[in-house]
Amino acid sequence: MNFLELFDQDLISSVLRALIPILLAALGGMLAERVGIFNIGLEGMILVGAFSGVAASFFTNNWLVGTIVAMICGALFSLILGYGAVYRKGDPIVLAIAMNILAVGMTSFLIVAMFGVQGVFQDPGIDGIPVWRIPVLADIPWIGALFALTPLGYLALILVPVLWVVLFRTPLGMRLRGVGERPLAAATMGVNPQHYQLGAVIASGALAGLGGAQLALGNVVQFTENMSAGRGWIAVVAVMLARAHPVGVLGAALLFGFIDAIGFRLQSFGLPQQLTDAGPYVVTLLVLIVLSSRLRKTRDAVLT
């Protein structure tokens, strides 16, 4: 067994494939976090985006329509959290957990009702998202994989610097951060915190829906029940680990994408799938423990 065989050029492609859905959802969660809404409903939003994207692609035989529908459905689904938490003052944690449960039940019901199958829906009529190769650059060894992504892959990577500029270099970003950090102060400046919070949550749902589209139409061309498989939770941890900073979110998502890709490859070395699949979640738990310890120390320092 030579573990050096794990690290080759194809590993970069595998990492990017695992990274994109997590990164899109995490960027959405970051926006919600910036306005003071802790969005742990990303798991359900990804699942809704994946199902609606596959359904729309199947009925129209067009991946672009499927992607747009996934984004819209993710945004609409996020209204449960946005309206409930912002305007009805509901607990966002309770609402988001209910959304995650609802998404699993709803998609499991609809896959039977609409397609007459259980578990997996796969059909030649589903139009998958194509890979756009940039000539010459895509042939560069090792880094060429960065230039052979789906449109959503390029979008996710471009959004990192774009959101950094928006958040830290524009009046809109200043208002978003002000709403999250000092909502009363923002209100006295003429900013309506509720409008910004609702808008950020809807954007969060749209990005998570795109993450679902990438998962179901880009990584694989099918829908599988509960196929988000914890990626939304991993995105939540990425937001926490990065403290809602775009560059940090990219780094955290890259870490989880790398562990996911390595875990898949370790199966070829005879490791049980159940063990390798647990890799990202074990890291997630470790990160949560570290974060909890760090927060406790910070709180103790403030109290003393």
Side-chain angles (χ1 to χ4, degrees), residues 5 11 16 38 43 53 66 72 89 98 100 104 106 148 153 157 198 216-218 223 264 266 268 274 278 298 302 304:
E5 295 178 2
L11 177 63
L16 290 170
F38 187 43
E43 179 79 2
I72 293 173
K89 304 303 178 187
N100 290 335
V104 173
M106 185 170 62
L157 296 179
L198 182 61
L217 294 175
F223 177 80
F264 184 75
L266 283 173
S268 63
Q274 294 83 352
T298 303
V302 171
T304 55

PDB file of all heavy atoms in Angstrom, residues 5 11 16 38 43 53 66 72 89 98 100 104 106 148 153 157 198 216-218 223 264 266 268 274 278 298 302 304:
ATOM      1  N   GLU A   5       0.323   7.388  -3.665  1.00  0.00           N
ATOM      2  CA  GLU A   5      -0.520   7.282  -4.855  1.00  0.00           C
ATOM      3  C   GLU A   5      -1.834   8.050  -4.682  1.00  0.00           C
ATOM      4  O   GLU A   5      -2.555   8.286  -5.645  1.00  0.00           O
ATOM      5  CB  GLU A   5      -0.812   5.813  -5.160  1.00  0.00           C
ATOM      6  CG  GLU A   5       0.435   5.019  -5.549  1.00  0.00           C
ATOM      7  CD  GLU A   5       0.113   3.556  -5.785  1.00  0.00           C
ATOM      8  OE1 GLU A   5      -1.072   3.198  -5.677  1.00  0.00           O
ATOM      9  OE2 GLU A   5       1.045   2.783  -6.056  1.00  0.00           O
ATOM     10  N   LEU A  11      -6.545  14.109  -7.970  1.00  0.00           N
ATOM     11  CA  LEU A  11      -7.014  14.488  -6.633  1.00  0.00           C
ATOM     12  C   LEU A  11      -7.524  15.936  -6.635  1.00  0.00           C
ATOM     13  O   LEU A  11      -8.507  16.261  -5.961  1.00  0.00           O
ATOM     14  CB  LEU A  11      -5.890  14.338  -5.609  1.00  0.00           C
ATOM     15  CG  LEU A  11      -6.247  14.776  -4.178  1.00  0.00           C
ATOM     16  CD1 LEU A  11      -7.362  13.898  -3.608  1.00  0.00           C
ATOM     17  CD2 LEU A  11      -5.012  14.708  -3.277  1.00  0.00           C
ATOM     18  N   LEU A  16     -12.031  19.677  -5.936  1.00  0.00           N
ATOM     19  CA  LEU A  16     -12.884  20.755  -6.451  1.00  0.00           C
ATOM     20  C   LEU A  16     -14.332  20.304  -6.579  1.00  0.00           C
ATOM     21  O   LEU A  16     -15.263  21.073  -6.289  1.00  0.00           O
ATOM     22  CB  LEU A  16     -12.358  21.228  -7.810  1.00  0.00           C
ATOM     23  CG  LEU A  16     -11.038  21.998  -7.767  1.00  0.00           C
ATOM     24  CD1 LEU A  16     -10.493  22.204  -9.170  1.00  0.00           C
ATOM     25  CD2 LEU A  16     -11.240  23.344  -7.080  1.00  0.00           C
ATOM     26  N   PHE A  38     -28.470  33.046  12.285  1.00  0.00           N
ATOM     27  CA  PHE A  38     -27.680  31.819  12.250  1.00  0.00           C
ATOM     28  C   PHE A  38     -28.464  30.775  11.457  1.00  0.00           C
ATOM     29  O   PHE A  38     -29.456  30.230  11.931  1.00  0.00           O
ATOM     30  CB  PHE A  38     -27.407  31.339  13.674  1.00  0.00           C
ATOM     31  CG  PHE A  38     -26.460  30.176  13.744  1.00  0.00           C
ATOM     32  CD1 PHE A  38     -25.316  30.136  12.971  1.00  0.00           C
ATOM     33  CD2 PHE A  38     -26.702  29.121  14.606  1.00  0.00           C
ATOM     34  CE1 PHE A  38     -24.434  29.068  13.041  1.00  0.00           C
ATOM     35  CE2 PHE A  38     -25.835  28.050  14.701  1.00  0.00           C
ATOM     36  CZ  PHE A  38     -24.707  28.024  13.907  1.00  0.00           C
ATOM     37  N   GLU A  43     -28.719  22.557   5.064  1.00  0.00           N
ATOM     38  CA  GLU A  43     -28.858  21.152   4.652  1.00  0.00           C
ATOM     39  C   GLU A  43     -30.156  20.954   3.853  1.00  0.00           C
ATOM     40  O   GLU A  43     -30.159  20.358   2.778  1.00  0.00           O
ATOM     41  CB  GLU A  43     -28.848  20.264   5.894  1.00  0.00           C
ATOM     42  CG  GLU A  43     -29.019  18.785   5.628  1.00  0.00           C
ATOM     43  CD  GLU A  43     -27.751  18.125   5.147  1.00  0.00           C
ATOM     44  OE1 GLU A  43     -26.713  18.811   5.045  1.00  0.00           O
ATOM     45  OE2 GLU A  43     -27.802  16.909   4.851  1.00  0.00           O
ATOM     46  N   GLY A  53     -33.846  21.119  -9.054  1.00  0.00           N
ATOM     47  CA  GLY A  53     -32.970  21.224 -10.215  1.00  0.00           C
ATOM     48  C   GLY A  53     -33.082  20.009 -11.123  1.00  0.00           C
ATOM     49  O   GLY A  53     -33.185  20.141 -12.351  1.00  0.00           O
ATOM     50  N   GLY A  66     -32.842  24.040 -15.137  1.00  0.00           N
ATOM     51  CA  GLY A  66     -32.753  23.304 -13.868  1.00  0.00           C
ATOM     52  C   GLY A  66     -31.982  24.075 -12.818  1.00  0.00           C
ATOM     53  O   GLY A  66     -32.367  24.126 -11.640  1.00  0.00           O
ATOM     54  N   ILE A  72     -34.106  29.393  -7.466  1.00  0.00           N
ATOM     55  CA  ILE A  72     -35.370  30.013  -7.049  1.00  0.00           C
ATOM     56  C   ILE A  72     -36.029  29.209  -5.929  1.00  0.00           C
ATOM     57  O   ILE A  72     -36.511  29.784  -4.937  1.00  0.00           O
ATOM     58  CB  ILE A  72     -36.318  30.134  -8.262  1.00  0.00           C
ATOM     59  CG1 ILE A  72     -35.749  31.132  -9.274  1.00  0.00           C
ATOM     60  CG2 ILE A  72     -37.714  30.576  -7.823  1.00  0.00           C
ATOM     61  CD1 ILE A  72     -36.514  31.202 -10.578  1.00  0.00           C
ATOM     62  N   LYS A  89     -40.280  36.736  14.703  1.00  0.00           N
ATOM     63  CA  LYS A  89     -39.383  36.596  15.852  1.00  0.00           C
ATOM     64  C   LYS A  89     -39.298  35.162  16.370  1.00  0.00           C
ATOM     65  O   LYS A  89     -39.151  34.922  17.579  1.00  0.00           O
ATOM     66  CB  LYS A  89     -39.819  37.534  16.993  1.00  0.00           C
ATOM     67  CG  LYS A  89     -39.910  39.009  16.584  1.00  0.00           C
ATOM     68  CD  LYS A  89     -38.581  39.500  16.022  1.00  0.00           C
ATOM     69  CE  LYS A  89     -38.680  40.959  15.570  1.00  0.00           C
ATOM     70  NZ  LYS A  89     -37.448  41.410  14.855  1.00  0.00           N
ATOM     71  N   ALA A  98     -36.588  22.426  11.688  1.00  0.00           N
ATOM     72  CA  ALA A  98     -37.856  22.000  11.085  1.00  0.00           C
ATOM     73  C   ALA A  98     -37.751  21.992   9.558  1.00  0.00           C
ATOM     74  O   ALA A  98     -38.279  21.097   8.887  1.00  0.00           O
ATOM     75  CB  ALA A  98     -38.978  22.941  11.535  1.00  0.00           C
ATOM     76  N   ASN A 100     -35.041  21.472   7.764  1.00  0.00           N
ATOM     77  CA  ASN A 100     -34.235  20.321   7.341  1.00  0.00           C
ATOM     78  C   ASN A 100     -35.064  19.039   7.339  1.00  0.00           C
ATOM     79  O   ASN A 100     -34.961  18.212   6.421  1.00  0.00           O
ATOM     80  CB  ASN A 100     -33.029  20.170   8.270  1.00  0.00           C
ATOM     81  CG  ASN A 100     -32.014  21.282   8.087  1.00  0.00           C
ATOM     82  OD1 ASN A 100     -31.939  21.889   7.022  1.00  0.00           O
ATOM     83  ND2 ASN A 100     -31.238  21.573   9.117  1.00  0.00           N
ATOM     84  N   VAL A 104     -36.327  16.752   3.854  1.00  0.00           N
ATOM     85  CA  VAL A 104     -36.142  15.301   3.666  1.00  0.00           C
ATOM     86  C   VAL A 104     -37.478  14.635   3.351  1.00  0.00           C
ATOM     87  O   VAL A 104     -37.606  13.846   2.408  1.00  0.00           O
ATOM     88  CB  VAL A 104     -35.503  14.679   4.925  1.00  0.00           C
ATOM     89  CG1 VAL A 104     -35.469  13.152   4.801  1.00  0.00           C
ATOM     90  CG2 VAL A 104     -34.093  15.218   5.135  1.00  0.00           C
ATOM     91  N   MET A 106     -40.327  16.019   2.307  1.00  0.00           N
ATOM     92  CA  MET A 106     -40.962  16.525   1.100  1.00  0.00           C
ATOM     93  C   MET A 106     -40.332  15.932  -0.162  1.00  0.00           C
ATOM     94  O   MET A 106     -41.041  15.497  -1.083  1.00  0.00           O
ATOM     95  CB  MET A 106     -40.839  18.058   1.079  1.00  0.00           C
ATOM     96  CG  MET A 106     -41.561  18.754  -0.046  1.00  0.00           C
ATOM     97  SD  MET A 106     -41.605  20.542   0.195  1.00  0.00           S
ATOM     98  CE  MET A 106     -39.849  20.935   0.185  1.00  0.00           C
ATOM     99  N   ALA A 148     -11.223  23.751 -15.581  1.00  0.00           N
ATOM    100  CA  ALA A 148     -12.133  22.778 -16.200  1.00  0.00           C
ATOM    101  C   ALA A 148     -13.251  22.489 -15.205  1.00  0.00           C
ATOM    102  O   ALA A 148     -13.375  21.389 -14.677  1.00  0.00           O
ATOM    103  CB  ALA A 148     -11.388  21.495 -16.569  1.00  0.00           C
ATOM    104  N   GLY A 153     -19.075  26.047 -10.700  1.00  0.00           N
ATOM    105  CA  GLY A 153     -17.754  25.981 -10.077  1.00  0.00           C
ATOM    106  C   GLY A 153     -17.021  27.309 -10.202  1.00  0.00           C
ATOM    107  O   GLY A 153     -16.464  27.826  -9.231  1.00  0.00           O
ATOM    108  N   LEU A 157     -16.092  30.160  -7.066  1.00  0.00           N
ATOM    109  CA  LEU A 157     -14.746  30.704  -6.806  1.00  0.00           C
ATOM    110  C   LEU A 157     -14.713  32.217  -7.013  1.00  0.00           C
ATOM    111  O   LEU A 157     -14.029  32.934  -6.278  1.00  0.00           O
ATOM    112  CB  LEU A 157     -13.728  30.014  -7.707  1.00  0.00           C
ATOM    113  CG  LEU A 157     -13.554  28.503  -7.468  1.00  0.00           C
ATOM    114  CD1 LEU A 157     -12.548  27.912  -8.439  1.00  0.00           C
ATOM    115  CD2 LEU A 157     -13.119  28.228  -6.030  1.00  0.00           C
ATOM    116  N   LEU A 198     -33.876  39.853   5.828  1.00  0.00           N
ATOM    117  CA  LEU A 198     -34.657  38.989   4.927  1.00  0.00           C
ATOM    118  C   LEU A 198     -33.932  38.813   3.590  1.00  0.00           C
ATOM    119  O   LEU A 198     -33.862  37.700   3.047  1.00  0.00           O
ATOM    120  CB  LEU A 198     -36.045  39.596   4.693  1.00  0.00           C
ATOM    121  CG  LEU A 198     -36.978  38.771   3.800  1.00  0.00           C
ATOM    122  CD1 LEU A 198     -37.236  37.404   4.417  1.00  0.00           C
ATOM    123  CD2 LEU A 198     -38.295  39.500   3.555  1.00  0.00           C
ATOM    124  N   ALA A 216     -26.422  17.735  -7.704  1.00  0.00           N
ATOM    125  CA  ALA A 216     -27.283  16.778  -8.412  1.00  0.00           C
ATOM    126  C   ALA A 216     -27.113  16.811  -9.926  1.00  0.00           C
ATOM    127  O   ALA A 216     -27.362  15.812 -10.590  1.00  0.00           O
ATOM    128  CB  ALA A 216     -28.746  17.054  -8.063  1.00  0.00           C
ATOM    129  N   LEU A 217     -26.729  17.967 -10.467  1.00  0.00           N
ATOM    130  CA  LEU A 217     -26.618  18.078 -11.928  1.00  0.00           C
ATOM    131  C   LEU A 217     -25.171  18.223 -12.398  1.00  0.00           C
ATOM    132  O   LEU A 217     -24.888  18.054 -13.584  1.00  0.00           O
ATOM    133  CB  LEU A 217     -27.417  19.298 -12.420  1.00  0.00           C
ATOM    134  CG  LEU A 217     -28.934  19.228 -12.240  1.00  0.00           C
ATOM    135  CD1 LEU A 217     -29.589  20.540 -12.663  1.00  0.00           C
ATOM    136  CD2 LEU A 217     -29.520  18.073 -13.049  1.00  0.00           C
ATOM    137  N   GLY A 218     -24.268  18.556 -11.479  1.00  0.00           N
ATOM    138  CA  GLY A 218     -22.869  18.728 -11.853  1.00  0.00           C
ATOM    139  C   GLY A 218     -22.007  17.548 -11.436  1.00  0.00           C
ATOM    140  O   GLY A 218     -21.318  16.941 -12.257  1.00  0.00           O
ATOM    141  N   PHE A 223     -30.956  12.296  -8.839  1.00  0.00           N
ATOM    142  CA  PHE A 223     -31.331  12.703  -7.489  1.00  0.00           C
ATOM    143  C   PHE A 223     -31.432  11.464  -6.624  1.00  0.00           C
ATOM    144  O   PHE A 223     -32.033  10.455  -7.010  1.00  0.00           O
ATOM    145  CB  PHE A 223     -32.675  13.450  -7.470  1.00  0.00           C
ATOM    146  CG  PHE A 223     -33.106  13.816  -6.076  1.00  0.00           C
ATOM    147  CD1 PHE A 223     -32.561  14.917  -5.437  1.00  0.00           C
ATOM    148  CD2 PHE A 223     -34.022  13.029  -5.382  1.00  0.00           C
ATOM    149  CE1 PHE A 223     -32.923  15.235  -4.139  1.00  0.00           C
ATOM    150  CE2 PHE A 223     -34.392  13.350  -4.086  1.00  0.00           C
ATOM    151  CZ  PHE A 223     -33.839  14.454  -3.461  1.00  0.00           C
ATOM    152  N   PHE A 264     -12.762   9.241  -0.215  1.00  0.00           N
ATOM    153  CA  PHE A 264     -13.238   8.437  -1.345  1.00  0.00           C
ATOM    154  C   PHE A 264     -12.107   7.602  -1.934  1.00  0.00           C
ATOM    155  O   PHE A 264     -12.288   6.433  -2.290  1.00  0.00           O
ATOM    156  CB  PHE A 264     -13.821   9.368  -2.403  1.00  0.00           C
ATOM    157  CG  PHE A 264     -14.419   8.655  -3.571  1.00  0.00           C
ATOM    158  CD1 PHE A 264     -15.645   8.017  -3.469  1.00  0.00           C
ATOM    159  CD2 PHE A 264     -13.742   8.601  -4.782  1.00  0.00           C
ATOM    160  CE1 PHE A 264     -16.197   7.339  -4.548  1.00  0.00           C
ATOM    161  CE2 PHE A 264     -14.286   7.931  -5.868  1.00  0.00           C
ATOM    162  CZ  PHE A 264     -15.516   7.303  -5.746  1.00  0.00           C
ATOM    163  N   LEU A 266      -9.418   6.586  -0.371  1.00  0.00           N
ATOM    164  CA  LEU A 266      -8.937   5.566   0.565  1.00  0.00           C
ATOM    165  C   LEU A 266      -9.722   4.264   0.418  1.00  0.00           C
ATOM    166  O   LEU A 266      -9.230   3.202   0.809  1.00  0.00           O
ATOM    167  CB  LEU A 266      -9.050   6.090   1.998  1.00  0.00           C
ATOM    168  CG  LEU A 266      -7.976   7.093   2.425  1.00  0.00           C
ATOM    169  CD1 LEU A 266      -8.290   7.671   3.790  1.00  0.00           C
ATOM    170  CD2 LEU A 266      -6.599   6.419   2.443  1.00  0.00           C
ATOM    171  N   SER A 268     -10.199   2.734  -2.242  1.00  0.00           N
ATOM    172  CA  SER A 268      -9.453   1.876  -3.166  1.00  0.00           C
ATOM    173  C   SER A 268      -8.312   1.141  -2.484  1.00  0.00           C
ATOM    174  O   SER A 268      -7.739   0.214  -3.044  1.00  0.00           O
ATOM    175  CB  SER A 268      -8.911   2.710  -4.334  1.00  0.00           C
ATOM    176  OG  SER A 268      -7.994   3.685  -3.860  1.00  0.00           O
ATOM    177  N   GLN A 274     -17.892   2.980   5.059  1.00  0.00           N
ATOM    178  CA  GLN A 274     -18.502   3.621   6.223  1.00  0.00           C
ATOM    179  C   GLN A 274     -17.462   4.425   7.000  1.00  0.00           C
ATOM    180  O   GLN A 274     -17.767   5.492   7.553  1.00  0.00           O
ATOM    181  CB  GLN A 274     -19.134   2.571   7.149  1.00  0.00           C
ATOM    182  CG  GLN A 274     -20.319   1.840   6.549  1.00  0.00           C
ATOM    183  CD  GLN A 274     -19.909   0.669   5.663  1.00  0.00           C
ATOM    184  OE1 GLN A 274     -18.718   0.493   5.381  1.00  0.00           O
ATOM    185  NE2 GLN A 274     -20.875  -0.113   5.225  1.00  0.00           N
ATOM    186  N   ALA A 278     -17.086   8.795   7.041  1.00  0.00           N
ATOM    187  CA  ALA A 278     -17.193   9.498   8.322  1.00  0.00           C
ATOM    188  C   ALA A 278     -16.132  10.585   8.468  1.00  0.00           C
ATOM    189  O   ALA A 278     -16.230  11.414   9.383  1.00  0.00           O
ATOM    190  CB  ALA A 278     -17.070   8.507   9.473  1.00  0.00           C
ATOM    191  N   THR A 298     -12.645  32.696  25.614  1.00  0.00           N
ATOM    192  CA  THR A 298     -12.935  34.110  25.359  1.00  0.00           C
ATOM    193  C   THR A 298     -13.941  34.649  26.360  1.00  0.00           C
ATOM    194  O   THR A 298     -13.793  35.744  26.906  1.00  0.00           O
ATOM    195  CB  THR A 298     -13.481  34.281  23.931  1.00  0.00           C
ATOM    196  OG1 THR A 298     -12.538  33.748  23.003  1.00  0.00           O
ATOM    197  CG2 THR A 298     -13.729  35.745  23.613  1.00  0.00           C
ATOM    198  N   VAL A 302     -13.404  37.584  29.244  1.00  0.00           N
ATOM    199  CA  VAL A 302     -14.245  38.778  29.348  1.00  0.00           C
ATOM    200  C   VAL A 302     -14.800  38.940  30.754  1.00  0.00           C
ATOM    201  O   VAL A 302     -14.833  40.035  31.326  1.00  0.00           O
ATOM    202  CB  VAL A 302     -15.392  38.699  28.311  1.00  0.00           C
ATOM    203  CG1 VAL A 302     -16.404  39.817  28.558  1.00  0.00           C
ATOM    204  CG2 VAL A 302     -14.842  38.796  26.902  1.00  0.00           C
ATOM    205  N   THR A 304     -13.520  37.847  33.528  1.00  0.00           N
ATOM    206  CA  THR A 304     -12.500  38.178  34.522  1.00  0.00           C
ATOM    207  C   THR A 304     -11.946  39.589  34.265  1.00  0.00           C
ATOM    208  O   THR A 304     -11.291  40.145  35.051  1.00  0.00           O
ATOM    209  CB  THR A 304     -11.344  37.172  34.459  1.00  0.00           C
ATOM    210  OG1 THR A 304     -10.830  37.127  33.131  1.00  0.00           O
ATOM    211  CG2 THR A 304     -11.840  35.807  34.888  1.00  0.00           C
TER     212      THR A 304
END
